[in-house]
Each structure stands twice: as structure tokens, then as C-alpha cells.
Amino acid sequence: PEDADYQPMMGGDLEGDVALDALNSDPPRAITRFKLYGIIGVLIALGTGNFLLLKIVYTAYPAKYSFFVNQGINLLYVLFGALVIIPRIIWTKDITPEMRRYPQWPFFVMGVLDSLGTFFTAMGTHGTPGAATPLLNQTLIPFTMLFSLCILKNVSYHKLEVLGAVIILAGAVLSVMNQVIHPDSGGDSGQIHWYCILFYLVSNIPMACSANYKERNFDEANLDVWYLTQWVSTYQFLFSFLYMPFLCLPGFAGNTSAIPVEHVFRDFWGGVRCFAEIEDECQGQSTMILLIGYTVINMLFNTLGLYVVQQASAVVCYITYALLLPITSIMFSAHFLGKYQESLSGYTFGGLALVLVGFVIYQRYSESVTDTAARDNQDLGLADQSFISDKSSAVTGQSSFQERVVGMRKAHRGRAQSMCQPQGGTASRARAGSV
């Protein structure tokens, strides 16, 4: 399920030569510029709320209940997804018999990888500065590029794409340096721990592997995005229970030392009681509303993100997510957040500036590679005109809500791919960073 993003935003963020789901199976209708910009404004508002709520939810619950929060979101994703999937199966032809016969193994593998990503996200979010989480999510780009060299074939990069990815990673690291160097600075930063930040950063590794696995294994698939997400979310929820023994270790779920296994199950039940606001420390914290509200906002953010990727030009998509980065990070210092308000430091702004610069360089030169390949195709008589259109709606690609980086184009490409395959947008759960 969070984690889906990334982006790029949460989160993360992975398309093959496939038709999109019912949301994008038919050519999208043209919309007015005024309507499009209105939708983009709503998307930015939802995205900001999505990332604010991710941190707020994990802070509202005591750290020992972090695993319950993770599983609560996973379960809600399965339940809400079922409310969408079942009517589509019964009353529409959007989910075909061919889709339902698709092998389960790829769904299972993606579910396992995403479960690892969201597990580490859960272990890290409580002790990671909220303002840094959108920036840390951007490291999905360099991680995806790195692991694509191992997982995919014929992968190559423009040297400035690599430079952009390195700058993104440097900016993300810089954004958390104030809390690492001065752990007692600002607000509730006594809750900030270097190992939690490391957990959050590491969560991008399985997300990157999942992104590359999807790219490699869904080339010939033609799957409904909700159907794909539903199966992956189900396996993700079930497999995550196998990580419970790790909760006994120091550093996990707020542990300062190792704890007995029975305490892990006690804490999970305590999370259920906290959700119902029965636990004393959870009374009046709106824990139930926050958990459900976050999941709903996350799903709306991802769904609208898919629509924008279809309708908007590449430039509009990049600007949208480039705006979302600073807005989200700076909003963590807003007074209306009350006890969840954070203090921003020069490290935060410096990291933000670096990530934005790296993001622009990466997008600029990955776009350059794609445009050059498209022109080469046209010269050779190999390219369809839709491949060089600036509209994302002309692009095909298997979307899901499993990446953190919403709107991120492929962070991996070989020349053979670039010559015959368009670069599309993806949807992100955006909570693990996801998107």
C-alpha cells in the first residue's frame, strides 16, 4: 500500500509497454487550461496534506505502536480497494477474465518488497523530522537508478542525469544534518534519532527494487491499476506480520533496548486500543480519525495524480511536483499544526535547494535523452508520433499505487528502451515515502 511515491514525491515512486487501467484505458478527454490548473491546485493541496498527515499519524501514536499504524494503513488500503474492485468486477468489464488469470507471483514479489519499504518507513517516521521526509523520498531516484543496473538490461544514463541524482542524495542528507549534529534542537526534536532517519532512508531501497521489478516483469501486462494495487496491498499486509520479531530489537518501534517477544504482541494489541482511543496516552489524540483520514487522503492524492499525469504536459507535471516539495517541507513549520509544528533550520533550506536543483537537472537531461531517442526513431521511420508528444496522455504504462514518486519518469533507461518506449508517469502510494 504509503507508501505510494514518491515524486517526485512519496515517496516510492516503473511502467512497461502496457495499457493503463480503466482510468487511462481510453484516450483522455481534453480539458480546459483553467480546469487543469484547478485540478493541479487540488493535487498540491492533497499532496501537502498527505505528507503532513504521514508524520502526524506516526507522531500521534506512541512509537511502540508504529507497527500497528503501518498494518492499519495496509489493512485500510485493502478494505477501501475492495470497495472499488468488487463493483468493477460485478458491474463493469474494466477487470477482464484475462487480468484475473494473470499469475500471482509478480504481485507477491512486489508485495514483499513494498512491505519491507513501508516497514522501515514505519520504524523511521516517528523519529525523522517531518520537513525532511519529502526530501528523503527523493532519494528513490538515485536508488532506482543504481539498482536498475543490476535488475534491468541495457541500462545507460546521461552523465548529467547521474549528477542530478547525486545532488538529490546530497540534499536529502544535508536536510537532516541539523538533527543529527544537534539532536536536542527545536520543538519535539528530542524524539528525533539518527537511526530512525537511517531507517527512513533505507526504506527507499526495497521501494527502488520493487520499481525495477515492476519495470522488468510487467512489460506485456495489461492490468487495471486498482486490481494490481489490491493484490499487492493484500500480500503486503499479510507478509508484514513476518517482520514482528524485528520489533524485539533495540531501535525498532522506539525500543531503547531489546524486549521480550510477548511485548511485541502486547504492543500490537495496545495499538488497536490506541486506535479506539481506549489507551490513556491516546485519549483525545484523534488517532482513529487521523489513521483513516490519512489513508483516504493518500488514495485521493494517488488517483488525482494519475489523472494529472494523463492530462498534463511533462513540463506541467514537473512544475507541479517541484512546487510540492518546498511547500510540503515549509508547511511543517506552520503554526496551525500546533504540537506537531517543527522548527526549520538552514540545513533544511539548504537541503531543499540542493534537492530542487538535482531534481531539475535529472528531469532536464532525462527528458533530453528521451527527446533525442524519439527524434532518432522518427528519422529511422520507427517512431509513432504519439511517442514524441508532450502529453502524458499519449504515453502508455502500467500504473499502480506502489511508488513514492508521483509523476516521476523512469529513473532507468537503456538506449533500446528509449528508442521504442515512451517515458510515462507513475502513481505513488506516496506514504513510504511512497509514490
Side-chain angles (χ1 to χ4, degrees):
E2 173 202 177
D3 207 218
D5 160 245
Y6 32 246
Q7 252 99 11
M9 294 302 298
M10 279 220 114
D13 250 78
L14 319 185
E15 343 38 81
D17 271 338
V18 288
L20 295 181
D21 64 336
L23 287 175
N24 18 15
S25 57
D26 297 323
R29 298 177 181 176
I31 61 175
T32 65
R33 181 174 297 184
F34 178 80
K35 181 180 178 181
L36 177 61
Y37 290 164
I39 292 173
I40 289 173
V42 174
L43 180 65
I44 291 175
L46 285 173
T48 302
N50 178 76
F51 296 112
L52 289 174
L53 279 175
L54 174 67
K55 174 63 177 177
I56 290 173
V57 169
Y58 276 103
T59 303
Y61 285 78
K64 60 185 176 182
Y65 301 148
S66 295
F67 180 74
F68 167 80
V69 175
N70 177 56
Q71 287 296 76
I73 296 171
N74 289 341
L75 178 61
L76 287 173
Y77 235 93
V78 173
L79 296 178
F80 291 159
L83 295 178
V84 176
I85 288 292
I86 292 174
R88 289 165 73 88
I89 292 176
I90 297 175
W91 291 301
T92 77
K93 297 181 179 180
D94 294 332
I95 301 175
T96 65
E98 290 75 18
M99 293 180 189
R100 294 163 69 179
R101 288 195 295 268
Y102 195 83
Q104 291 292 307
W105 178 251
F107 300 146
F108 175 77
V109 173
M110 284 185 63
V112 170
L113 292 171
D114 289 344
S115 69
L116 269 172
T118 55
F119 175 73
F120 280 110
T121 298
M123 297 301 101
T125 301
H126 191 277
T128 300
T133 54
L135 306 181
L136 291 171
N137 290 338
Q138 308 319 301
T139 62
L140 184 60
I141 290 178
F143 282 133
T144 302
M145 292 174 67
L146 177 63
F147 286 101
S148 70
L149 298 174
C150 303
I151 299 175
L152 301 179
K153 298 179 180 179
N154 301 320
V155 176
S156 62
Y157 301 103
H158 191 290
K159 60 183 179 181
L160 289 177
E161 282 185 275
V162 177
L163 175 63
V166 171
I167 292 175
I168 289 172
L169 183 59
V173 172
L174 179 62
S175 69
V176 297
M177 286 307 297
N178 185 58
Q179 287 78 13
V180 173
I181 299 173
H182 308 291
D184 297 324
S185 61
D188 292 330
S189 57
Q191 302 287 335
I192 304 301
H193 304 288
W194 67 267
Y195 51 84
C196 290
I197 296 172
L198 183 60
F199 282 150
Y200 196 96
L201 181 64
V202 167
S203 69
N204 278 306
I205 294 178
M207 290 292 186
C209 292
S210 177
N212 283 295
Y213 179 85
K214 179 184 174 188
E215 171 64 20
R216 190 184 71 179
N217 289 275
F218 284 85
D219 260 2
E220 303 302 325
N222 179 12
L223 299 172
D224 180 275
V225 66
W226 290 99
Y227 182 77
L228 169 63
T229 301
Q230 185 69 7
W231 275 115
V232 174
S233 299
T234 300
Y235 288 125
Q236 181 173 342
F237 170 71
L238 296 175
F239 201 85
S240 292
F241 283 110
L242 297 182
Y243 304 139
M244 292 184 76
F246 290 102
L247 302 177
C248 298
L249 301 177
F252 287 80
N255 298 336
T256 56
S257 59
I259 63 173
V261 175
E262 56 267 24
H263 287 194
V264 172
F265 294 96
R266 182 194 65 188
D267 289 342
F268 189 82
W269 176 244
V272 176
R273 291 171 55 84
C274 185
F275 175 76
E277 298 190 41
I278 297 174
E279 291 284 317
D280 292 339
E281 55 191 331
C282 300
Q283 291 180 3
Q285 301 298 314
S286 302
T287 47
M288 181 185 296
I289 294 174
L290 286 172
L291 189 61
I292 297 175
Y294 166 73
T295 308
V296 171
I297 293 293
N298 183 263
M299 296 187 81
L300 290 174
F301 174 53
N302 285 308
T303 303
L304 190 59
L306 269 179
Y307 181 75
V308 169
V309 165
Q310 283 184 277
Q311 295 287 347
S313 69
V315 173
V316 172
C317 287
Y318 300 158
I319 292 175
T320 299
Y321 296 108
L323 285 174
L324 193 49
L325 262 178
I327 291 173
T328 302
S329 294
I330 293 172
M331 284 297 290
F332 275 97
S333 65
H335 291 291
F336 70 82
L337 293 180
K339 63 182 179 180
Y340 301 112
Q341 180 185 10
E342 298 182 2
S343 300
L344 304 184
S345 69
Y347 289 97
T348 305
F349 289 105
L352 176 59
L354 276 179
V355 168
L356 284 173
V357 169
F359 177 52
V360 170
I361 293 174
Y362 166 78
Q363 294 288 6
R364 168 66 182 85
Y365 285 96
S366 61
E367 181 70 20
S368 175
V369 170
T370 303
D371 290 345
T372 300
R375 286 194 297 271
D376 290 345
N377 289 351
Q378 191 175 28
D379 292 340
L380 293 170
L382 299 175
D384 187 285
Q385 288 298 315
S386 63
F387 283 11
I388 57 176
S389 169
D390 68 344
K391 285 288 185 181
S392 298
S393 58
V395 173
T396 58
Q398 181 60 62
S399 295
S400 76
F401 290 174
Q402 304 307 312
E403 299 95 39
R404 299 181 183 208
V405 184
V406 181
M408 184 185 83
R409 293 154 18 85
K410 286 182 183 170
H412 36 74
R413 119 178 76 259
R415 181 162 178 79
Q417 284 182 312
S418 297
M419 290 180 64
C420 64
Q421 184 171 319
Q423 305 301 311
T426 63
S428 171
R429 286 281 301 281
R431 73 178 176 87
S434 238
V435 346

